[in-house]
Amino acid sequence: MPQAPAIPQVTRRRHDREIVALAVPAFGALVAEPLFVMADSAIVGHLGTAQLAGLGVASALLTTAVSVFVFLAYATTAAVARRVGSGDLQAAIRQGMDGIWLALLLGAAVIALVLPLAPGIVDAFGASPTAAPYATTYLRISSLGIPAMLVVLAATGVLRGLQDTRTPLYVAVAGFVANAGLNAGLVYGAGLGIAGSAWGTVIAQCAMAAAYLAVVVRGARRHGASLRPDTAGIRASAQAGLPLLVRTLSLRAILMIATAVAARMGDADIAAHQIVLSLWSLLAFALDAIAIAGQAIIGRYLGADDAVGAREACRRMVQWGIATGVGLGLLVVAARPLFLPLFTSDPAVKETALPALLIVALSQPISGVVFVLDGVLMGAGDGPYLAGAMVVTLAVFAPVALLVPALGGGLAALWAAMTLMMAVRLLTLWLRARSGRWIVTGSTR
């Protein structure tokens, strides 16, 4: 945490209002995202086991593919927020349009790969012979919506940079409702089966992208910003996003290693791991909402050449991260008797999951600070450092996690390794935050 004098009470209250105004709607939008998959699963599940299994494979592939490009939101948020802080809204929206054009180009590239390679990709992920045709159908159709999904990411970054997290919340909720209605109508009403579910998702994603584009285009016209693609600007957006792509891939590798290790332990362990991981991911939404607020607020302060304000905001958000982490940890401990029966009635799975849940609860204050500082450094445009720090974290975690089964450790030991991973992230991020090297003021970094 950066060294600074105690924050005056008036300033602290101002920061609190900013954090709440941005974080609460951001949390709602984040929670709405996984509801898409849940709605699809609930509807397709009544078609049959093979269809649901196919959906599970295809949706996992799509979710992974889209999450890899989350840098479109993160990098765009930081760049736009800096321009907002400098008072140049025209340049801010122009910067956002560069991110949206990049999203369209990447989306087209993904479609070109997925359409012909879908059967091979599905087979590579181990889909059964009965599920594979359904997975291929869903993947091919849904891939047509990937450009829209990536536009949603980039446009969300634009609005976050403009200090607006309410519009993404409204669009996410409307998108979920539309997706559920379209899926039900096309799967059963039109009799399209799993293809209907895929088309419903594509239509809902395209509608969400259209809604975002309408908002951004209206803002561009209001401030006289060009909507045409700019090669230099698109290239700059890609260069800013590349380090964050490395960071994201490293984090995905950590989660994949943890799941692979759990799978080698036995059925009860992998089942318990999935339960604990689902809770860990849900808690991450709450902490990530504060991180999103951090991206927008820090970028704005730095764009306004206010280094002192950026430091004070960072300190206050770290305090929020600690407090939120403690609260979430206590909630996990208190709710564990109610949480586990929601997922399993198997005593062996419950017994295996319980110690891991307690470890997750104890690690939440660490996670709170990690998420906040991650958001602060993203808002500062400090992507290269974040990439390097995550690669170091992966290099520490991988051998420790792989040694867990070799040394006879169980799921609790694996989640202790996950806590070590978060502790390494905390150390690397705290050292950077304390150094102050992330504080680079100006409309661009």
Side-chain angles (χ1 to χ4, degrees):
M1 182 173 61
Q3 293 177 331
I7 306 173
Q9 187 173 7
V10 173
T11 303
R12 187 165 61 246
R13 287 176 178 172
R14 186 181 74 247
H15 289 318
D16 289 346
R17 287 194 296 271
E18 289 180 331
I19 293 168
V20 170
L22 291 170
V24 172
F27 174 70
L30 289 170
V31 170
E33 291 174 10
L35 294 180
F36 272 81
V37 177
M38 290 178 63
D40 288 0
S41 299
I43 293 168
V44 171
H46 292 285
L47 292 173
T49 301
Q51 289 91 332
L52 184 59
L55 173 66
V57 172
S59 62
L61 289 168
L62 285 167
T63 300
T64 300
V66 174
S67 67
V68 164
F69 296 109
V70 74
F71 69 84
L72 289 166
Y74 293 158
T76 304
T77 297
V80 171
R82 276 185 177 268
R83 298 286 191 178
V84 170
S86 69
D88 192 347
L89 290 178
Q90 182 185 74
I93 296 175
R94 175 64 261 177
Q95 190 95 43
M97 285 304 305
D98 292 335
I100 290 173
W101 281 112
L102 176 61
L104 286 170
L105 291 173
L106 291 172
V110 173
I111 288 179
L113 288 173
V114 172
L115 284 179
L117 299 177
I121 295 172
V122 168
D123 287 341
F125 274 75
S128 68
T130 54
Y134 297 111
T136 301
T137 297
Y138 190 93
L139 183 59
R140 276 183 166 155
I141 296 173
S142 294
S143 69
L144 300 176
I146 286 179
M149 296 178 194
L150 300 190
V151 166
V152 167
L153 285 177
T156 299
V158 176
L159 295 180
R160 288 173 181 171
L162 293 170
Q163 317 296 295
D164 176 11
T165 56
R166 289 183 179 273
T167 299
L169 171 61
Y170 300 149
V171 174
V173 171
F176 165 70
V177 173
N179 179 68
L182 285 166
N183 271 259
L186 293 175
V187 170
Y188 296 110
L192 296 180
I194 195 169
S197 176
W199 280 117
T201 299
V202 170
I203 295 169
Q205 291 288 352
C206 288
M208 291 173 66
Y212 275 117
L213 289 175
V215 174
V216 174
V217 168
R218 186 167 61 245
R221 289 175 176 168
R222 184 184 309 124
H223 297 288
S226 173
L227 297 174
R228 295 180 179 178
D230 176 67
T231 303
I234 294 172
R235 187 184 304 114
S237 293
Q239 290 172 345
L242 183 59
L244 296 180
L245 174 61
V246 173
R247 168 201 169 274
T248 300
L249 289 174
S250 299
L251 180 57
R252 297 296 303 184
I254 287 170
L255 297 178
M256 288 176 65
I257 289 170
T259 299
V261 170
R264 292 167 59 187
M265 294 178 178
D267 290 346
D269 292 272
I270 186 60
H273 175 73
Q274 288 303 115
I275 293 171
V276 177
L277 185 61
S278 67
L279 176 63
W280 189 80
S281 301
L282 179 62
L283 298 173
F285 285 135
L287 299 175
D288 203 27
I290 304 175
I292 288 169
Q295 294 170 30
I297 293 170
I298 293 298
R300 192 188 73 231
Y301 274 115
L302 295 177
D305 294 323
D306 188 353
V308 173
R311 283 183 178 274
E312 290 178 343
C314 178
R315 283 177 61 86
R316 188 55 180 161
M317 281 183 283
V318 167
Q319 293 168 0
W320 269 77
I322 295 171
T324 304
V326 170
L328 291 175
L330 293 174
L331 183 61
V332 171
V333 173
R336 69 188 189 283
L338 302 174
F339 178 76
L340 286 175
L342 292 176
F343 289 87
T344 182
S345 57
D346 188 332
V349 175
K350 291 180 182 179
E351 183 179 351
T352 304
L354 183 58
L357 278 179
L358 294 177
I359 291 172
V360 168
L362 291 172
S363 69
Q364 284 309 293
I366 296 175
S367 298
V369 179
V370 166
F371 274 80
V372 165
L373 291 181
D374 205 41
V376 165
L377 297 185
M378 283 185 191
D382 205 11
Y385 182 85
L386 288 171
M390 191 61 80
V391 170
V392 169
T393 303
L394 172 60
V396 173
F397 171 78
V400 173
L402 294 173
L403 279 173
V404 167
L407 297 176
L411 189 67
L414 176 60
W415 276 93
M418 288 286 285
T419 302
L420 171 65
M421 177 270 292
M422 294 301 289
V424 173
R425 291 186 68 188
L426 174 62
L427 177 62
T428 57
L429 296 175
W430 179 79
L431 289 173
R432 186 64 168 182
R434 179 169 177 159
S435 73
R437 293 176 185 171
W438 56 277
I439 301 179
V440 179
T441 58
S443 60
T444 59
R445 183 176 173 89

